[in-house]
Each structure stands twice: as structure tokens, then as C-alpha cells.
């Protein structure tokens, strides 16, 4: 069991992490019917429990990935960068609409300013 995460004034507490997403060996993932060994679980209670753990883990991973996308977009659009990108450039690279790229840049700036309040 891991220790609880420390809470600092500039860093709000994170919710507990769900089950880890473990990488599957390539020879197993080559089988299209294989998915995190769920197909080998016979007991429906165990299957529901493990599938639910994976669902929570995927959702948490998606949320974190979106945050990192937003931070990257904000950094790429930073006007202080000599090589900054426009929201159109960011949208093209990320396969987003330009409107969504603008929102992600704003979200990323919010995340960055809340992580480093004295830099804003």
C-alpha cells in the first residue's frame, strides 16, 4: 500500500488511483479476443470487479492525458516562445478543430497557473 499523497498549498489532493493499467505482452495482444486477460475470468463477480477496475483506470488515464494535452497546447501557444504555434497549427497537429484547440490552450493555461500561482 502506498503512502497518502502530500497536500501542499499549491497542489490540491488527487483522488486515489484506480487499478494500474499494465501493458500486455505482444504475443497475447496479437489475439483480438484477448483484453487484459478478462476473457479468462469465469466467475461473473470477479469479471465485473476487474472490468470495473479497468473502466475506472481508463477514465483516470483519459482525464490525465487530456490535462497533459492541454498543458502541451498552452506551452506551444505561449507568446513568449520564439517558435510558438498558432491555435490552427496546434489543431492540425492534434487533429482537433481550431475552436477546440483554443479551449485546450485556455484550459492548459489555467492548469499551469494553478500549479504555479506566483508565475501567473
Amino acid at each position: 500500500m502506498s503512502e497518502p499523497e502530500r497536500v501542499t498549498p499549491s497542489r490540491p489532493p488527487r483522488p486515489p488511483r484506480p487499478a494500474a493499467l499494465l501493458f500486455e505482452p505482444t504475443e497475447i495482444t496479437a489475439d483480438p479476443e484477448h483484453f487484459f486477460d478478462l476473457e479468462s475470468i469465469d466467475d461473473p463477480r470477479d469479471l465485473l470487479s476487474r472490468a470495473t477496475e479497468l473502466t475506472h483506470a481508463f477514465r483516470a488515464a483519459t482525464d490525465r492525458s487530456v490535462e497533459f494535452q492541454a498543458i502541451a497546447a498552452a506551452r506551444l501557444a505561449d507568446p513568449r516562445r520564439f517558435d510558438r504555434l498558432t491555435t490552427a497549427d496546434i489543431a492540425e497537429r492534434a487533429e482537433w478543430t481550431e475552436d477546440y484547440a483554443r479551449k485546450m490552450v485556455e484550459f492548459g493555461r489555467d492548469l499551469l497557473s494553478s500549479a504555479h500561482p506566483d508565475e501567473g
Side-chain angles (χ1 to χ4, degrees):
M1 185 114 216
S2 63
E3 292 182 30
E5 186 173 326
R6 289 191 187 135
V7 178
T8 62
S10 63
R11 185 174 177 192
R14 290 196 189 276
R17 291 182 184 246
L21 291 176
L22 304 175
F23 291 97
E24 298 181 284
T26 19
E27 63 274 3
I28 293 174
T29 57
D31 177 4
E33 296 299 313
H34 183 81
F35 187 73
F36 287 87
D37 210 26
L38 292 178
E39 69 287 343
S40 70
I41 301 174
D42 293 325
D43 183 333
R45 288 178 198 90
D46 292 342
L47 179 58
L48 179 61
S49 177
R50 180 62 181 143
T52 301
E53 286 177 345
L54 286 170
T55 299
H56 291 297
F58 287 130
R59 286 180 185 154
T62 298
D63 291 346
R64 290 293 289 153
S65 294
V66 168
E67 288 176 357
F68 281 107
Q69 282 182 312
I71 289 168
R75 288 179 177 164
L76 288 170
D78 187 339
R80 297 173 294 190
R81 290 177 60 109
F82 77 93
D83 60 345
R84 85 178 193 101
L85 298 178
T86 65
T87 52
D89 294 332
I90 294 168
E92 183 179 340
R93 283 180 182 231
E95 299 178 6
W96 297 333
T97 65
E98 192 170 347
D99 185 51
Y100 186 76
R102 261 191 299 280
K103 290 175 183 178
M104 287 295 278
V105 167
E106 184 179 320
F107 178 46
R109 287 177 178 155
D110 290 345
L111 289 171
L112 289 168
S113 68
S114 67
H116 307 287
D118 32 324
E119 290 181 19

